[in-house]
Amino acid sequence: MKHLTLFACLLLMPEIQSLEIFAGDIVDLVRDPGDDSVADRPPANINRYERRHKRSDDSSKEQDEMEDHIEEQITIHSYKVKSIITSRFAETVFSTKVVNKESSAQNMVFNVQIPQGAYISNFTMTVNDITFVGSVQEKNEARRLYAEARAQGKAAGIIRTSAHEMESFKAEVNVPGGSKVSFELYCQELLQRRLGRYEQTIILHPGNLAKQLQVDVYIFEPEGISHIEAPNMLGTQFDGLIRITKGENKAHVSFKPTLDQQRKCPNCSDSAIDGSIVVRYDVKRELNGGSIQVSNGYFAHFFAPSNLPPLPKNIVFVIDVSGSMWGIKMKQTVEAMATILADLRPEDQFTIIDFNHNIRFWNDHLVPATPNQIAEARKYVEKIQPNGGTNINEAILSAIYILKEANDLGLLDPRSVSFIIMVSDGDPTVGEIKLSNIQRNVRRQMQEDFSLFCLGIGFDVDYDFLERIALENRGVARRIQANVNASSQLTDFYEEVATPLLRMINIQYGDDVSEVTQDSFDKYFSGSEIIIAGKFKNKKPSTMTCRVSASSANGDLSFQVDSSTDELDKILARQKYVLRDFTKQLWAYLTINQLLAERLLAQSAFEKRTITSRIIALAQDHQFVTPVTAMLVESEETGQRLLADSPKNIRNGCCTGTPIIGKKSPTIPFWAKNVTTSQPLQEHIRSTIDTKPVLETPVTSVENDPHFIVHLPKSKQDVCFNINPEPGKILNLVSDPIKGIVINGNIIGGKKTKNKKLSTYFGTFGLHFTNLNLSFEISTEKIRLKDGKHKTVLWWSESSILTHASAVVAVNKNANVTIAVGQDMIFLILLHRVWKNHPTNVDFLGFYTPPTNNFSTNVHGLIGQFIHEPEVNMYNIRQGVDPDKTQATMEVKGHKITVTRGLQKDYRTDTVNGTDVQCWFVHNSGKGFIDGHFKDYLVPHLHSFLEHP
């Protein structure tokens, strides 16, 4: 028998099951549909590997020669895999055509292994000109129809389960001599972002040479592809054969070896292809609020912020050291713990519990992750000797107690995240062994802001139980394959949760969308991605807006995301290799997964049935083979039917879950929790900015190249002056050593001179508050806040708010940013964008500060010196040389200065044309009005104080 195998779509998924179709001697059935025995009898030929293991020790040479002859009679005409990925959503098609060169019939096997996270969406098979087409049905109905056909002698095969880790779709057919058989299987899935990249792995194992062997992966990402790689993992023989073509938004990975290139050796008939093609990539991201993509009446929101400081962690590691962990499991766990402990940050707290029938503590309270503590913890773990039973209940409850005690004593940073990571390879055998009771005990003791992550090593562990208890406590479960580099699997998982960036994420959409998937999340970890999808109720708006709020290490964040609803459909229509209905299928995929998680924790049989009905309806509408549906594969021509059915779980479910009241049902990867929503972002920005004096009263400002407008409230005058510093110089605007405040600006130049003069502007402002250990750096590209060790970056391209303990930063998209520090300091920085192809001008910034800002008496700087208003006397007002410009004499700081009445621009209310401000203009770079010369205000760094005011 010829055995063809395709392995594909291998992603890091929690658990995988098996799926097989055996299509027995179809040709015989066609010839004699009344023969019931045909469908039940074993295949005429079996896999060569299986046959060798069935032989007795005295197998003859003739048998080997006969098998080799059979191998040569069936030729793989084509062996192709095509994957189309559009905005992380992938549809992979596996197709094979085989020719039986022998005059007699031979059995063929089509085997495709896919992850549990991928749903089969279609299957067709053509044998002897008879075509079988798949359709998704409710599982019981599919089984009934299959049984009905079987009773009539028309059934061609039925499901079998085999592998623990793989989901294996397997069709076996009898191929007539001289005829062809073709298979085509479709599966769809949403690629998960882990450790900063998406990954698709296609494992190739054709077994024999194929006349046409080809793998194509087409990627289209509207945001743009930041990087892509496809390392050769098939062996040096295939170096240079995996080709990548990359553009701005799309990429193509191809592998197409010739027949000779497939050979193990020049004269070999065996294929050297036995390995995987791995495609890894990530997308460009400009918005911390995420990207919304709208198409075909549905939307998908991709949220993966970066440039945020990590939240502190409080971790209790719970390690199973029972007798079953002896050997390689324990060795690899120790290796993983060494790496994990070394990765802890100084602001983190941790401890270790190891358990068998007893519970032992490395330390019975959390300790800071100092080098000494980490070294001691590593020594402790290295000395562990596994033995005894497994007391899971007491181990988890002990971990919860440590976190609760630290919280009650006020030892946990209010912005930190707390979680338990448990590693175990078996069922409880000591103490409380009833799984439903353990689940209930943990649920009752766990606080709502703690999470439990469960890592199950091997297949002896009841993974279903671990998944329930993790989901119910805002975590996830992950199966770790024993003896297959378990150490790397453990450390990889830890890396996924090692850098939490946000807590309490809540995303709000407008009233014109409905059936939105999970939109509140407990945590967001660096390198991952949160995806939300929904559909429009009726007519979609021209622009879709959403508001994101979350809590970060630096404070509370808010973002506003705006997206056009018409552009993407036009873009997709121009592409050849895209999934034009990806938003629709992505929404269904997320919704079904969410419902399956709810079903897992259903409190009653009625609730479970209700959820099941919703899943079935969605699966039939979108053609997904799920745990509650099956694919009926049938031929209209002959009435024959096959059944593609999900198997029963390896381990039965332990118990009925009870979701915590007040929480939304969970979704992979992390538990969702209701978050108290702040006022809408536009209102928040308006209340933060519009009501502040910086936008309501006359202010002191620096604009254009650079023009200063100094407002003197006592004399009710505005005085202006210009300066022309060199590009690259840094000017001090405010220097207050008493209050520890310094504000400087970096000068940039235009692209080229105009009228023999190079215009200069402020390109970056630095605001530093030493007493608060807080600084801001505002450039024409971004806004960066630094709080001690923590850095947060906001972007001009999206409206956002950061509410810090000492400040509020509000960004008005591509317009301005307001920085309010404490109760008595506020500043406004305006962004001036110019046409990117302008021959001379560049983007620049304007700076505005009200006279109400509470500086000390020692404040100085080009602007700071006027915070405490000097006495100004204007007299001898007269007509100047220009009849339209009045002149006067100004007495200020002991100087008599000739000033001219003129106009300067204030851009706060009209960002394009500006508003005219009448002011007295001081010539010669403000000479006499400012103390000294403007060059006296040059400083070496963006956060330098003025040394000699």
Side-chain angles (χ1 to χ4, degrees):
M1 181 190 72
K2 185 76 171 180
H3 192 188
L4 306 176
T5 310
L6 297 178
F7 299 85
C9 304
L10 291 182
L11 300 176
L12 296 174
M13 293 293 175
E15 182 185 16
I16 317 259
Q17 298 174 342
S18 64
L19 175 68
E20 295 183 3
I21 292 182
F22 279 84
D25 294 335
I26 292 178
V27 176
D28 291 341
L29 284 170
V30 173
R31 293 171 180 167
D32 186 8
D35 184 3
D36 288 344
S37 63
V38 176
D40 292 325
R41 72 178 182 227
N45 302 92
I46 62 174
N47 180 286
R48 186 175 184 182
Y49 174 83
E50 294 171 340
R51 189 186 331 223
R52 283 179 175 169
H53 283 72
K54 290 176 182 290
R55 292 183 189 146
S56 61
D57 293 336
D58 58 350
S59 297
S60 66
K61 181 178 178 181
E62 288 77 10
Q63 287 176 307
D64 288 334
E65 291 175 349
M66 179 183 68
E67 288 175 357
D68 292 337
H69 174 71
I70 293 173
E71 290 284 342
E72 295 172 357
Q73 303 315 306
I74 300 178
T75 302
I76 306 176
H77 181 72
S78 67
Y79 181 103
K80 296 181 179 180
V81 182
K82 182 171 76 172
S83 183
I84 298 177
I85 303 171
T86 306
S87 291
R88 295 75 149 167
F89 196 78
E91 179 177 79
T92 305
V93 183
F94 312 93
S95 57
T96 300
K97 293 181 180 179
V98 184
V99 180
N100 180 10
K101 291 183 176 181
E102 182 63 47
S103 58
S104 61
Q106 303 290 334
N107 264 29
M108 301 294 301
V109 175
F110 173 72
N111 189 325
V112 176
Q113 297 187 2
I114 64 175
Q116 187 187 31
Y119 291 134
I120 291 173
S121 56
N122 193 17
F123 175 68
T124 60
M125 178 173 65
T126 302
V127 185
N128 198 28
D129 297 326
I130 300 172
T131 300
F132 290 80
V133 180
S135 63
V136 174
Q137 306 282 341
E138 187 273 328
K139 180 175 286 191
N140 291 332
E141 175 64 10
R143 287 173 174 170
R144 185 191 67 79
L145 291 171
Y146 173 79
E148 181 182 282
R150 184 180 177 85
Q152 297 174 7
K154 296 181 179 180
I158 193 169
I159 186 74
R160 299 282 177 85
T161 65
S162 57
H164 290 256
E165 185 65 17
M166 293 288 106
E167 184 172 344
S168 175
F169 182 98
K170 188 173 184 180
E172 180 180 328
V173 297
N174 188 273
V175 183
S179 65
K180 298 179 181 179
V181 58
S182 64
F183 306 92
E184 198 167 71
L185 180 74
Y186 290 72
C187 71
Q188 294 186 342
E189 64 180 320
L190 180 62
L191 303 185
Q192 301 294 318
R193 186 171 185 254
R194 290 193 171 93
L195 302 177
R197 67 190 184 192
Y198 308 95
E199 181 174 297
Q200 187 174 46
T201 303
I202 300 173
I203 298 181
L204 303 176
H205 182 60
N208 288 79
L209 301 176
K211 287 186 177 180
Q212 298 177 9
L213 191 151
Q214 185 169 347
V215 178
D216 292 285
V217 179
Y218 299 95
I219 303 172
F220 180 75
E221 292 287 349
E223 296 169 83
I225 298 172
S226 62
H227 68 271
I228 183 169
E229 62 176 0
N232 175 25
M233 306 181 76
L234 295 170
T236 56
Q237 177 178 339
F238 300 99
D239 284 346
L241 294 185
I242 300 175
R243 296 181 172 88
I244 300 176
T245 305
K246 178 185 176 298
E248 180 69 21
N249 302 93
K250 51 190 175 183
H252 176 211
V253 179
S254 63
F255 177 64
K256 191 177 180 181
T258 64
L259 196 63
D260 287 338
Q261 288 170 335
Q262 297 174 44
R263 299 180 189 275
K264 275 190 175 181
C265 60
N267 298 318
C268 292
S269 60
D270 294 334
S271 174
I273 297 176
D274 186 5
S276 58
I277 290 181
V278 179
V279 179
R280 304 183 183 115
Y281 76 96
D282 200 12
V283 302
K284 296 179 180 177
R285 291 179 175 81
E286 296 182 356
L287 304 178
N288 275 330
S291 166
I292 298 178
Q293 298 179 19
V294 180
S295 175
N296 199 24
Y298 292 78
F299 76 87
H301 183 184
F302 303 95
F303 179 73
S306 57
N307 296 300
L308 298 173
L311 297 163
K313 304 186 296 291
N314 313 298
I315 310 178
V316 181
F317 297 100
V318 181
I319 304 173
D320 183 348
V321 296
S322 59
S324 57
M325 287 286 289
W326 182 268
I328 189 65
K329 291 181 183 178
M330 196 69 241
K331 180 178 182 294
Q332 294 190 335
T333 300
V334 170
E335 290 175 357
M337 284 301 299
T339 303
I340 290 168
L341 291 170
D343 193 56
L344 292 172
R345 299 182 178 89
E347 62 268 25
D348 296 337
Q349 298 185 96
F350 78 105
T351 190
I352 299 170
I353 294 175
D354 59 295
F355 71 98
N356 44 30
H357 50 283
N358 295 318
I359 310 300
R360 297 193 309 166
F361 301 88
W362 168 68
N363 204 312
D364 60 3
H365 60 274
L366 294 172
V367 299
T370 64
N372 287 340
Q373 297 286 15
I374 290 172
E376 291 299 319
R378 287 183 61 175
K379 291 178 184 178
Y380 179 83
V381 173
E382 289 169 358
K383 294 179 181 179
I384 290 175
Q385 297 295 322
N387 65 83
T390 308
N391 192 344
I392 290 178
N393 182 72
E394 195 64 31
I396 298 178
L397 294 182
S398 297
I400 295 172
Y401 177 81
I402 289 175
L403 291 177
K404 286 178 65 176
E405 182 182 44
N407 189 50
D408 293 343
L409 294 174
L411 301 177
L412 303 185
D413 186 323
R415 291 196 176 275
S416 64
V417 296
S418 302
F419 49 85
I420 300 163
I421 297 180
M422 183 182 74
V423 180
S424 179
D425 77 330
D427 291 342
T429 60
V430 178
E432 178 59 71
I433 61 174
K434 189 174 181 181
L435 300 182
S436 58
N437 288 347
I438 297 174
Q439 187 178 342
R440 183 181 64 250
N441 293 341
V442 172
R443 183 173 65 245
R444 287 176 176 175
Q445 294 299 319
M446 185 74 77
Q447 291 190 181
E448 65 176 17
D449 53 349
F450 299 163
S451 296
L452 172 63
F453 298 100
C454 297
L455 304 178
I457 297 183
F459 293 99
D460 296 331
V461 66
D462 192 325
Y463 185 79
D464 183 68
F465 163 68
L466 294 183
E467 186 175 34
R468 286 177 182 272
I469 199 170
L471 283 174
E472 198 168 50
N473 293 284
R474 297 158 297 281
V476 295
R478 181 72 55 82
R479 187 186 289 284
I480 304 297
Q481 298 181 49
N483 304 331
V484 185
N485 204 5
S487 177
S488 294
Q489 295 176 68
L490 289 168
T491 52
D492 284 350
F493 174 81
Y494 173 76
E495 285 184 28
E496 291 179 35
V497 299
T499 311
L501 298 182
L502 294 174
R503 300 168 55 245
M504 299 184 295
I505 303 105
N506 182 269
I507 304 175
Q508 296 177 312
Y509 301 94
D511 295 333
D512 40 21
V513 300
S514 64
E515 299 187 53
V516 177
T517 59
Q518 197 69 48
D519 57 9
S520 335
F521 302 86
D522 184 59
K523 299 176 184 70
Y524 166 75
F525 295 92
S526 177
S528 66
E529 184 172 55
I530 290 173
I531 303 178
I532 308 98
K535 57 184 179 180
F536 293 95
K537 291 180 180 177
N538 297 305
K539 184 179 179 181
K540 66 181 180 182
S542 59
T543 301
M544 181 180 177
T545 299
C546 87
R547 300 177 179 92
V548 182
S549 62
S551 178
S552 74
N554 265 339
D556 294 332
L557 277 168
S558 297
F559 303 102
Q560 178 171 305
V561 185
D562 301 303
S563 179
S564 170
T565 60
D566 299 321
E567 293 180 1
L568 186 56
D569 280 326
K570 297 175 183 176
I571 294 172
L572 293 176
R574 298 194 295 266
Q575 307 301 318
K576 182 177 181 180
Y577 295 106
V578 293
L579 306 174
R580 290 182 173 80
D581 62 348
F582 82 93
T583 49
K584 177 181 178 182
Q585 293 300 97
L586 186 154
W587 170 82
Y589 180 96
L590 284 178
T591 303
I592 289 173
N593 279 351
Q594 183 175 310
L595 289 170
L596 287 170
E598 292 180 15
R599 184 175 180 267
L600 186 68
L601 301 179
Q603 300 182 62
S604 65
F606 174 78
E607 182 183 0
K608 189 171 185 178
R609 286 195 301 271
T610 302
I611 295 171
T612 301
S613 297
R614 293 178 62 191
I615 297 172
I616 291 170
L618 278 171
Q620 288 183 303
D621 187 34
H622 296 267
Q623 288 295 290
F624 285 148
V625 178
T626 70
V628 296
T629 55
M631 179 170 284
L632 195 68
V633 186
E634 54 190 337
S635 167
E636 293 184 0
E637 184 178 348
T638 65
Q640 292 175 285
R641 289 172 177 155
L642 298 85
L643 186 65
D645 193 0
S646 293
K648 294 181 179 179
N649 287 335
I650 300 167
R651 301 287 298 266
N652 292 327
C654 66
C655 37
T656 300
T658 307
I660 298 176
I661 302 301
K663 301 263 184 180
K664 288 191 175 183
S665 298
T667 183
I668 304 299
F670 299 109
W671 187 267
K673 99 180 206 180
N674 289 330
V675 181
T676 302
T677 58
S678 60
Q679 56 187 321
L681 185 56
Q682 292 282 27
E683 296 176 18
H684 196 165
I685 291 176
R686 194 172 295 115
S687 67
T688 304
I689 299 176
D690 291 355
T691 61
K692 298 294 183 181
V694 74
L695 287 184
E696 290 182 348
T697 64
V699 297
T700 293
S701 64
V702 182
E703 274 287 4
N704 286 324
D705 55 344
H707 300 330
F708 287 74
I709 304 177
V710 177
H711 177 66
L712 304 174
K714 291 179 182 178
S715 58
K716 297 181 180 179
Q717 301 281 358
D718 289 299
V719 181
C720 306
F721 62 93
N722 297 346
I723 62 174
N724 188 28
E726 297 176 5
K729 299 297 185 181
I730 299 173
L731 284 170
N732 175 255
L733 302 181
V734 177
S735 186
D736 189 341
I738 301 298
K739 289 209 168 183
I741 301 173
V742 60
I743 302 173
N744 295 324
N746 187 36
I747 298 295
I748 58 173
K751 295 177 182 177
K752 62 181 181 179
T753 59
K754 182 179 180 181
N755 298 326
K756 298 183 179 181
K757 179 180 180 294
L758 181 68
S759 296
T760 55
Y761 311 88
F762 280 109
T764 304
F765 287 112
L767 291 75
H768 191 46
F769 302 84
T770 58
N771 296 345
L772 300 174
N773 197 19
L774 187 67
S775 64
F776 302 89
E777 189 174 305
I778 301 97
S779 70
T780 56
E781 296 179 354
K782 58 190 175 184
I783 300 97
R784 189 184 74 166
L785 176 147
K786 184 178 180 182
D787 176 10
K789 298 178 180 179
H790 297 155
K791 295 179 182 179
T792 300
V793 175
L794 304 176
W795 302 95
W796 284 110
S797 51
E798 62 185 337
S799 295
S800 59
I801 293 178
L802 170 60
T803 305
H804 182 269
S806 305
V808 175
V809 183
V811 182
N812 193 359
K813 180 180 178 181
N814 288 325
N816 57 63
V817 56
T818 300
I819 299 174
V821 180
Q823 300 298 317
D824 51 11
M825 293 283 179
I826 190 165
F827 308 94
L828 177 70
I829 293 94
L830 262 60
L831 173 66
H832 295 273
R833 291 278 192 224
V834 300
W835 177 45
K836 65 180 181 179
N837 294 323
H838 195 285
T840 59
N841 294 346
V842 293
D843 294 345
F844 65 94
L845 302 173
F847 179 84
Y848 297 79
T849 174
T852 53
N853 277 346
N854 187 18
F855 294 102
S856 76
T857 56
N858 283 20
V859 66
H860 208 263
L862 277 172
I863 288 177
Q865 62 188 291
F866 300 107
I867 298 298
H868 303 290
E869 182 177 339
E871 290 188 11
V872 174
N873 181 24
M874 307 294 298
Y875 65 93
N876 191 20
I877 300 174
R878 58 198 181 274
Q879 181 176 316
V881 178
D882 185 341
D884 296 329
K885 293 184 178 180
T886 305
Q887 286 189 340
T889 300
M890 175 193 292
E891 285 187 349
V892 59
K893 298 181 179 180
H895 303 286
K896 291 183 179 180
I897 309 168
T898 297
V899 294
T900 303
R901 195 68 169 168
L903 298 175
Q904 291 284 24
K905 294 290 187 180
D906 184 327
Y907 291 92
R908 287 175 294 168
T909 56
D910 187 342
T911 58
V912 177
N913 301 309
T915 302
D916 289 331
V917 176
Q918 289 278 353
C919 65
W920 291 106
F921 186 80
V922 181
H923 303 274
N924 300 321
S925 299
K927 183 179 180 181
F929 183 62
I930 65 173
D931 294 337
H933 192 273
F934 81 83
K935 291 184 178 181
D936 297 334
Y937 298 87
L938 295 175
V939 292
H941 304 294
L942 203 57
H943 297 306
S944 298
F945 281 85
L946 190 64
E947 292 185 4
H948 303 291

